[in-house]
Amino acid sequence: GQGGATAITIIYVALGMFYFYPSMLLSRFSRKGKQAVLFGDQDLLNEAMASLKSLFKFFGIITILVIVSFFLLNFLMKAG
């Protein structure tokens, strides 16, 4: 019914917002990296690498959260 469609819409909007941030960081890295290589600009290259570092931090945190939640759910299933 209507409730299921609303739930799916909310889930897809949340996933879209979740994927926007890493996509923005990757785009920023590629744009600034290209400009840095074309013009030999060290400052732009440093900014590009900072964007890439932020991207890896984001995915590292997400990976840690997934692993912790897996162990937590596993522990709760065995306890219950």
Side-chain angles (χ1 to χ4, degrees), residues 8-75:
I8 289 173
T9 301
I10 291 171
I11 289 170
Y12 274 100
V13 167
L15 285 174
M17 290 187 315
F18 175 76
Y19 274 104
F20 175 76
Y21 181 68
S23 298
M24 179 190 68
L25 288 174
L26 192 59
S27 174
R28 190 180 299 162
F29 165 71
S30 65
R31 186 172 21 90
K32 289 184 179 183
K34 180 181 178 182
Q35 291 296 315
V37 170
L38 282 175
F39 298 114
D41 189 348
Q42 185 63 44
D43 291 333
L44 269 179
L45 184 61
N46 290 341
E47 291 176 21
M49 290 299 139
S51 294
L52 187 62
K53 181 180 177 182
S54 295
L55 178 70
F56 286 141
K57 275 191 214 177
F58 176 79
F59 280 121
I61 291 169
I62 296 301
T63 301
I64 290 169
L65 289 175
V66 167
I67 291 170
V68 166
S69 64
F70 171 75
F71 283 113
L72 184 63
L73 286 172
N74 194 8
F75 175 74

